[in-house]
Amino acid sequence: ELEPGEREAYARDVRDARAAVRSVSGVEFDVPETVEIQNRHHWIDANVATFERVMQTLETHTGAFPGVARTINTGTMTVLLSFLGRNVLGQYDPLLLADAPTDDHALYFVRPNILNAAAKLDVDADRFRRWIAFHEVTHAAEFGAAPWLSDHLETRMEEGIATLSEGSFDRDAFRDLDAAMTVVEGYAELLMDHAFDEEYEDLRRKLDERRQGRGPLQKLFRRLLGLGLKERQYERGKNFFEHVLAVRDLETASLVWEQPENLPSHDELDAPGTWIQRVDR
């Protein structure tokens, strides 16, 4: 049960985040029409469809591993979704692999997890909620700045899945997908640094400490779900954009969204100067 004024507080945070991110990025975008304050079971219901889309993609490629989708699609997904449902705070969902227009995205906030995390971290719940809202809206800005991004990620994902199901491994497809997601995470943090209306390093530090203090079972689940990879992408992407900003500016950093060819390659992520020379002409 939402507290009086709580729904409006979420809406205000999203509106403020949209205005601030628009201002610092120069990108015209809007937040998704679907903005939901959810309980855990609502988030799981919303994401079952995402897992089903991935499974359907696997099932269309029956090559060497025809049973892989059926195997993953049993109790494993239930357990993994349950774990995520207890831990995810907010989500910008671009609805990858969906039979829907690319602008039909969604924004979710998992209220009990936000309140629980704020209490465990000993931080103000309103401030923490606002920080989560800003972070998710930065992702909306990225997909708004690059209408081609959803298709690009879907294509690389499908290519990788297709080769896996045939018993091979498309290293280039997965490297490209990893590079693109690293840019998504790093640029979001860059916008956060400029758009959020107060210091938040303490929130980031406390979240990192909480992750490091997880038990062995939780760490195993995070590895299975690729959440450790996400954190590595965040760090690598943040380092890339910090270098770009140090020698150029935010406008140069935003060149990543002009066209797919402007995305840094896997190697360029560790050599930002090479990327700058290539795209900043």
Side-chain angles (χ1 to χ4, degrees), residues 92-279:
Y92 172 74
D93 186 1
L95 300 181
L96 295 180
L97 303 176
D99 294 326
T102 55
D103 60 352
D104 188 15
H105 299 175
L107 187 61
Y108 307 134
F109 297 100
V110 187
R111 178 179 179 269
N113 292 352
I114 292 174
L115 293 175
N116 184 55
K120 287 185 175 180
L121 297 175
D122 191 25
V123 297
D124 180 75
D126 291 346
R127 175 172 172 251
F128 188 66
R129 181 200 63 230
R130 185 174 180 83
W131 183 56
I132 298 299
F134 268 70
H135 186 269
E136 300 310 326
V137 169
T138 60
H139 287 313
E142 292 171 316
F143 282 83
W148 48 264
L149 183 57
S150 289
D151 287 342
H152 178 80
L153 294 176
E154 285 180 355
T155 298
R156 303 315 272 161
M157 189 183 302
E158 288 174 334
E159 289 171 350
I161 289 174
T163 56
L164 277 178
S165 66
E166 293 164 1
S168 59
F169 181 76
D170 189 340
R171 186 167 179 265
D172 289 338
F174 281 106
R175 279 167 63 98
D176 286 351
L177 183 60
D178 177 55
M181 293 307 300
T182 299
V183 171
V184 166
E185 293 298 329
Y187 188 83
E189 199 61 28
L190 177 69
L191 290 185
M192 281 288 295
D193 284 344
H194 288 77
F196 195 56
D197 45 15
E198 58 179 288
E199 174 60 43
Y200 66 90
E201 183 56 37
D202 62 314
L203 299 178
R204 170 62 65 188
R205 175 178 51 79
K206 288 185 176 185
L207 267 183
D208 288 343
E209 289 173 353
R210 182 186 177 212
R211 292 190 186 109
Q212 293 169 7
R214 293 183 188 276
L217 185 59
Q218 289 178 312
K219 289 179 179 178
L220 173 61
F221 273 121
R222 292 182 66 80
R223 291 188 64 182
L224 288 172
L225 291 163
L227 298 180
L229 174 63
K230 182 181 176 70
E231 289 157 18
R232 183 185 65 79
Q233 289 170 339
Y234 152 75
E235 291 292 344
R236 194 178 182 207
K238 186 172 184 289
N239 292 338
F240 172 84
F241 283 109
E242 282 179 349
H243 179 92
V244 173
L245 213 62
V247 299
R248 288 291 194 275
D249 49 28
L250 188 57
E251 184 178 356
T252 301
S254 298
L255 291 175
V256 293
W257 306 126
E258 279 196 354
Q259 56 185 348
E261 292 75 17
N262 277 19
L263 286 173
S265 68
H266 192 272
D267 292 335
E268 286 174 335
L269 283 169
D270 297 321
T274 304
W275 176 82
I276 293 171
Q277 290 178 351
R278 179 169 67 85
V279 302

